[in-house]
Structures are given as C-alpha cells and as structure tokens.
Amino acid sequence: MADKDRSAERDLSKGYVAILGWSVNAIDAIDRFDRRYIVVAPSWARDYAEENNIPFLSWDFERLNERSFELGETLKEMDVDVAIPLFEETVEWAGAVNAVLMDNPRLMNQAMLFRNKAMMKRRAQLGGIRVGIFEEAQDKTDVINFLKRVNEALLKLDGDPNDPIHVKAFDKAGCLGHRVVRTAEDVDNIPDSEFPSLMESHLDGWEFAVEAFIKDRKIQFLNISEYVHLGYSVFVPATPELEKWRERVTEEIEKLIETFNIDFGFIHPEYFVTSDGKMYFGEVAYRPPGFNAFELIERAYGFNCYQGLVLMFDPHTTQEEIDAFFPEAVVDAKGHAGCFGVYPRRRVVNELQIPEETEKDPFFEFHELMPPMQNKVTKRTAFGTHWGLVYFFGDDPYRMRELLLQQEELDFYL
C-alpha cells in the first residue's frame, strides 16, 4: 500500500483531494498518483490506514446532517481543494463538503439530485431528456395502483399476465433495492424500509451503462459498458453494434451535463435503446460504478480510472494533463474485459468449485470468490447481491458476450 517516501513525490502545484469512503483499490491507485490526498472514512479503517501510512481522517457517514458542513470546514482548514465520493452513500457528503470548499451552495443541491431517483427523473424530463413513465411510491398501496394503471393503459384483459414495473429505492446504488414487480405477491415482498421508492414502467430494449469523465463541462473520456444480463454480467468496450450508438450517447451525455449543471467530475448513467431506435434515460450516479467497472476499463485500456477521477475533480488539472492521460475510446483498447457476478443456483451449498469449462476457457483470468460462510442460501430478492466476481479478457466481443451468458447455467457452489 502506501510508501513512506511517496509523500516526497506529490506535486504541490496540483490539488489536494479528499477521498470520501474506503476502497483499497482506489487508495492504492491514488497513492501511486502525484496528488496529495487524504482518505475520509469510518473509524474502523484507522488502524489499517496508520499501519500503511495512509493519510486519514476519521468520519462516520451517517445520514446527512448539520455536521456535513463541519467536515467541510475541517477539510478547508487543511487546505483541501475538493472532495471525491467513492460510494453512493458519500455523494451527498461530497456535495455538502464541496459547497464549503468551493463556496458554491449549488453543489449541495446538485448532489441531492444525484441521490434522489425521483428528483433525478423529473429534472431529466424538464431538460428534454426522454424517460419512461414514473411515479413516487410512499407505500405498497401506491405500487399496486401504479401496476394496475400501467397495465390498464396497455389494454390488458382479465387473465392476461401483467407487464412488469420496476420499483427502486430512492437512494440505493445500482441493483440494490431494484425490484421487478408483476404481481401483488411481488409487492408484498418489498420491505417497508425501502419506501419511499421510485416506480417506473418497463422498457423492452438494450440496456447499457456509460462511464463519462467530465472536466470544464466537456466529456474527456467516454466508455460504453455492455450489459449482457443486468445484475449478472458486463464487459467493455461494447460490441460494434452498441458502439454505433456512440454519437447519440455522446449527445445524451451532453444533455445531462447541461441539465444537471455538471462542471466537473464523473457520471455513470444507464440507458435503454428500444427496438424502434429511441433512447431512454434510466438513471445517473455521480460516483464509480459497481461490478468493478473501473477495473475492467483499466484492463481493457491500461489507464487507472481512480487516477482519472482525481484529474476530473482537481481544479488545478490542465487540459494538457488530461489529453496525455486518456486514450482514444475503442481504438486504443487492448481487448475486451468482462466479469460475471456469481450467485449460487442451489438452496444448500457446501463448497466452492470453479467449473472446469470456465477455468480452462482461454478468456478466463481470475476470480474473487470465497468458500461459503454458510450452507443455506437465502433466496435472491430483486437483483440481490452477488457472492463474488469472475473475470475474463479476450479479443472477441461476441465470444465474450456468449461466454458471460453461459456462466449463468453453471454451478460455482456445490
């Protein structure tokens, strides 16, 4: 991890950044970069930080309160220039802190938009961005009524299966709290703790994600991540068919920059392309994506995305630095990097066993799976949380897509 001599290599003419949240991958990457940094994380990380010479400030990120501005003042006194959120739970904190550090209250309001899915959709709609039908739900009754209204609008007859709707907790990341609802029983399975929620109509189409690095209101690097199966698998760069949409995607990202007043930073939006060629906005996050997408991009392109984050947030970054740092999208990729999120297919498991066809595949690289801590597997609710990731790399995006799909039929836990 950190080296005692690394502090001598920091460029004092560049910014001093605060990293909000604890991620060993992020800290290791930023420690190898040329900026001064401090990690702001819960107290349980203090011992590790001190043992590894990591600049550290203890802070427990509970629900945002008046102490958020106290953190901003503390960092300001240390001459920190900007705060960078690593996780969904620290996006609001970064907004509050940066409002203090940059004397710009708008950054706090902007962070609230990125955290509240209903406000986010409404703002996008006001900006002329195409979205599906959506409403807010305060309780289960609202979900039932929305499900009925959507299917009535689709002219469903009695006995016809319902078209699904999506229910998402307002402020959870990615697949967490994201449920596909078709029946009253599905609604009953939603815990009260996940309300209020966003409800939206289902869109049939090609869903994908974008990773956009932004500085001075310009896209500095844009990656398109192809979802093979949402919640299970993804790879980068995308297939040529999806990359054909790059110009349209770029236009949509520019709309987001304008609508959400994004001067700098990193966004991770999701989109749908329907069969009739219309592109719909799903949601957008202002922090690194899940499924280790940053690590996949680095494997494909060779640059470190966490260091790219620092460049985007640091007010002292120059355009010359940015141009030298980022490669040309797609053209400069060394191959396609993908990963598969494993969830046990059996209700009772005893051991981890990597399938032979996975391990011997030339695209297979490594896995991060652990032996089971318990034998009984809880039923996967909504998209659930995977037990670990399996990584692949190769030169053929179509074979990558097929390989990732095949993993869904294999047992990794027996």
Side-chain angles (χ1 to χ4, degrees), residues 228-229 231-235 291 296 338-345 358 366-369 380 386-392 400 403-412:
V228 180
H229 187 173
Y232 286 90
S233 46
V234 65
F235 67 91
F291 258 66
L296 295 181
C339 68
F340 174 75
V342 173
Y343 193 87
R345 294 174 1 117
T358 298
F366 65 98
H367 69 84
E368 296 175 341
L369 301 174
R380 191 173 193 180
H386 58 75
W387 283 31
L389 296 170
V390 183
Y391 294 87
F392 302 90
M400 176 67 75
L403 181 62
L404 290 170
L405 268 178
Q406 288 171 355
Q407 304 310 302
E408 295 181 27
E409 305 303 319
L410 302 176
D411 285 311
F412 289 78

Side-chain angles (χ1 to χ4, degrees), residues 250-262:
T250 300
E251 291 172 0
E252 291 299 317
I253 298 297
E254 288 170 347
K255 284 184 189 177
L256 279 181
I257 291 171
E258 186 66 30
T259 301
F260 286 76
N261 289 315
I262 304 168

